[in-house]
Amino acid sequence: MPLQKNQIIPLAIQRLSSDGSGVGHWEGEAVFVPGTAPGDQIQARVVKDFKRYAFGIVEQIDQPSPDRIPADCPVAGPCGGCSLRHLRYQAELQAKQASVADAFQRIGGLDVQVEPILPSPQVDRYRNKVQFPVGLDKQGKPCIGFYAGRSHRIVPCGDCKLQPAILNRIGQTLCGLFGEYGIQPYDEATGQGLVRHIFLRQGAHSGQIMVCLVCTRPSLPHAGQWVEQLRSQFPDIATILINVNRQNTNVILGPENHILFGPGSIEDTLCGVPVRLGPFSFYQVNTPGAEQLYAVAAAYADLRPDDLLLDLYCGMGTIGLSMAGRCRELVGVEIVPEAIESARANAARMGGEIAGKSRFFCADAGQAAARLAAEGLAPDVIIVDPPRKGCDQATLDAVVRMAPRRLVYVSCNPATAARDAAILTREGYRVEKVQPVDMFPRTGHVETVILLSNRYPKQNIEA
């Protein structure tokens, strides 16, 4: 019998889905319920049914899981950013490990051993980037928070546990200054107001902080006064900018920046690679976690001094540059022009030896890989770090044609990684290792590094 909206059903939560929702079954149909833990016995209210699966919300917890803990954030539920804050961290790791193993078995059809997941060096306060929407609280005062799930309703949050305390304090201080100087938050409904978002970055190693206010115009009232007050309270602030976004859009950043103080960027290092970060820079948000991830990728690459390393979807070039000292030549490919400019600048900052052996160019990964293969480029090792949708077929075809000795696949989505690994195994590759890495504690996301070895090196390109 089909489930009905608002029907209340008993559910035993068996596992977590890729987004962190609990999964139970009712008469063979999977039911996804946010905020639950494996082992929970609950009463669930059905909110939507798609015949083969359904979504529900917790009506009542009859028997809590042994792994359930009290959430230590008062807005964890309505905010939704920490979808697993109600779960013991060890249980969270086990669930993420299981999700990776399930993806490779069920989606990839691959019988591979998944290595024990590497926990994040920091479970809380690990994010080096913060994007607060700005609104008004119930008293009509400027406030920061996060959008509630599937809405643009701001849930005020003064101290997000995922973010460094100093960045939370800067956000709160700015709201006080907005109130003091009559600077109004932007109202999506009316199109009135000035400040849309507060965007903050902090260098994990340098400690430098960037403050970027996303506004509807390039200037704010009394900028000299509040900039000076902010700097006096937070001496680690290295730069303050206004980013202009005049459009009625969900996109946070607009196309232009105006510097109020400092150079317009901050500096940091990642695995020894010096980086310069502005508002548009793509950068891993968990620096200690990223360094752990890169260490696994470097071990899997197992570079030799005469190797040519190809880094596809290279971003700012950090993963390839972190290994450049171990190989003869590095080639990086990325579709975002600003990222390629940053990669070249990062290589230059590493000195003449690294810059001389590194080249980066801007192109779609699939098209660039196909072109390089057609030109006869024969990389010994290829690293791919694609977006959540995984590699396109052109990229996979070109990788096979270039026939590297090793392929290191860095993934933020176990499902597409398993799919792509299965395609590559049919083309002569063997999955040697699968290493989950927790980069985003208290959320459902998990990174995975996969090592694939070529059973027939160089034969494909020679053919």
Side-chain angles (χ1 to χ4, degrees), residues 405-418:
R405 179 179 75 248
R406 286 181 170 225
L407 172 67
V408 180
Y409 191 125
V410 180
S411 168
C412 58
N413 184 347
T416 53

Side-chain angles (χ1 to χ4, degrees), residues 88-126:
R88 284 192 310 113
Y89 185 52
Q90 191 57 42
E92 175 184 332
L93 293 175
Q94 292 168 359
K96 290 178 176 179
Q97 168 102 15
S99 72
V100 174
D102 176 71
F104 275 80
Q105 181 178 33
R106 182 174 51 84
I107 297 172
L110 298 169
D111 184 16
V112 296
Q113 180 178 347
V114 177
E115 301 292 323
I117 188 170
L118 296 178
S120 174
Q122 294 176 229
V123 178
D124 285 323
R125 311 291 186 190
Y126 60 84

Side-chain angles (χ1 to χ4, degrees), residues 127-129 164 166-167 200-210 236 266-268 277 283 287:
R127 289 187 62 90
N128 57 44
K129 182 177 80 168
I166 189 171
L167 300 188
L200 309 173
R201 285 189 188 271
Q202 182 177 35
H205 295 295
S206 70
Q208 294 182 3
I209 295 172
M210 179 194 80
D236 286 334
I266 60 171
E267 295 184 351
D268 201 29
L277 305 170
Y283 194 59
T287 302

